[in-house]
Amino acid sequence: MRLNSPQINLITKACMKASRSLIRDFGEIENLQVSSKGPGDFVTSADKRTEKILLEELQKAHPDYGVITEETGIINKSNTKNRWIIDPIDGTFNFMNGIPQFAISIGYEEDNEIKCGVIFNPIMNELFCAEKGNGAYLNNSRIRVSNKKNIKDALIVTGGPKGSSKIKDKIFSEYINVSNNVSNVRKFGSAALDVAYVACGRFDGYWQRELNYWDIAAGIIILKEAGGYVDFFEEDKNLPLKKNILASNSIIHEELRDLINK
Ligand code: LIP
């Protein structure tokens, strides 16, 4: 990896440490799937265990930093100058079902702007990272978004709706519009990895409603530094941690937005 700011080094070290127990926990899932208890409670504790290790590592270096995490919530609320945004396991359902498409996702914000981020899939051993002004990387290689120009040829990824969603009709009609006008649509179940995959050109675009900020905070800087474009639509100012995301290689962005708004 070419990036070596103190923050990236710290996040990477924390991810590596937490991933050792996460890999062990993932190995347990197979046994639990066939047991009568099922993996539900175990996954919750794996999430918490992973988050605890990440927090210990990050807070050892910066006890005063603000933190937004999926499991614990908000820590050091008054510090909005320096803030970690943490999802210990993004793609929890995949994890729970023994599907190796999940990741630790950590973004670092200064004055409400994401400065750097790391997304690490410990099973595939793929570490995506970026810091502002220094490009984006997958392990040791620089990554860039695709240069697909024609949306008809594009491979798009999406996610949701959750079973509990109240806007399923809207989401399905967006899906139909997009599907009718692109080459193919995929659904992989980890928002963090979906954005990272756009950043490295595996997908040409991604949209999803009803996400949480921690799902995609790290992905924002990774995608931007890889030459992509990301924005949020129909934001509710009263719910700053809820996001609807549209991310792309930037070339097809407007057309993809038109399909979603159709
Ligand atoms: C999940 C996302 C997934 C999305 C779910 C959920 P979690 O995060 O990554 O892609 O469809 O709504 O937010 O809960 O596994 O960290």
Side-chain angles (χ1 to χ4, degrees):
M1 193 185 358
R2 315 274 162 81
L3 305 178
N4 56 9
S5 77
Q7 311 298 23
I8 284 277
N9 284 342
L10 184 59
I11 303 175
T12 305
K13 197 172 144 233
C15 282
M16 290 304 158
K17 189 160 182 200
S19 68
R20 289 196 280 277
S21 80
L22 193 54
I23 291 168
R24 272 197 305 274
D25 286 342
F26 188 63
E28 276 298 304
I29 292 286
E30 241 172 34
N31 302 331
L32 288 162
Q33 269 167 335
V34 291
S35 84
S36 57
K37 207 167 153 243
D41 290 345
F42 179 78
V43 171
T44 312
S45 45
D47 244 318
K48 290 194 171 138
R49 210 168 11 247
T50 308
E51 186 169 295
K52 186 165 177 278
I53 299 170
L54 295 172
L55 278 175
E56 272 166 11
E57 287 299 303
L58 298 175
Q59 289 186 315
K60 219 189 302 170
H62 299 290
D64 54 323
Y65 277 18
V67 189
I68 298 177
T69 70
E70 179 170 25
E71 297 301 320
T72 313
I74 301 179
I75 302 168
N76 294 336
K77 195 173 180 182
S78 59
N79 188 352
T80 50
K81 183 164 175 48
N82 311 95
R83 200 152 65 170
W84 307 111
I85 320 291
I86 304 174
D87 191 347
I89 308 179
D90 182 74
T92 319
F93 266 89
N94 285 345
F95 180 84
M96 190 184 328
N97 286 282
I99 300 167
Q101 184 72 3
F102 61 87
I104 298 171
S105 173
I106 304 178
Y108 168 67
E109 256 187 14
E110 266 174 26
D111 298 315
N112 294 312
E113 188 194 3
I114 299 278
K115 291 287 179 176
C116 63
V118 171
I119 295 172
F120 182 47
N121 177 337
I123 308 301
M124 309 284 275
N125 199 23
E126 288 195 325
L127 188 136
F128 298 86
C129 68
E131 64 190 2
K132 193 174 176 195
N134 283 319
Y137 291 83
L138 165 51
N139 296 337
N140 284 313
S141 305
R142 186 89 188 243
I143 51 172
R144 272 204 68 76
V145 289
S146 76
N147 70 355
K148 199 83 59 72
K149 293 179 182 58
N150 192 339
I151 196 152
K152 288 254 171 264
D153 302 327
L155 181 60
I156 305 295
V157 65
T158 189
K162 284 193 173 127
S164 59
S165 174
K166 303 265 186 307
I167 54 164
K168 281 190 188 153
D169 288 353
K170 195 176 195 171
I171 291 171
F172 290 139
S173 91
E174 286 171 354
Y175 189 102
I176 291 169
N177 287 342
V178 174
S179 167
N180 282 338
N181 289 282
V182 303
S183 167
N184 229 316
V185 181
R186 295 274 184 270
K187 193 164 176 282
F188 271 37
S190 161
L193 289 173
D194 291 342
V195 183
Y197 282 17
V198 178
C200 69
R202 292 175 184 168
F203 295 125
D204 307 301
Y206 165 58
W207 94 100
Q208 184 166 350
R209 288 179 181 269
E210 303 185 309
L211 288 170
N212 294 299
Y213 185 39
W214 51 78
D215 298 327
I216 36 113
I220 294 170
I221 186 72
I222 294 171
L223 183 75
K224 283 185 182 167
E225 287 296 320
Y229 191 77
V230 57
D231 63 1
F232 304 99
F233 56 101
E234 294 173 26
E235 281 191 279
D236 182 344
K237 297 249 178 304
N238 298 318
L239 298 170
L241 296 182
K242 295 283 169 199
K243 301 282 179 201
N244 302 317
I245 189 175
L246 175 57
S248 75
N249 67 2
S250 91
I251 312 170
I252 61 162
H253 203 85
E254 292 306 320
E255 282 178 284
L256 188 55
R257 181 188 290 130
D258 289 345
L259 292 175
I260 290 160
N261 288 335
K262 215 168 177 176

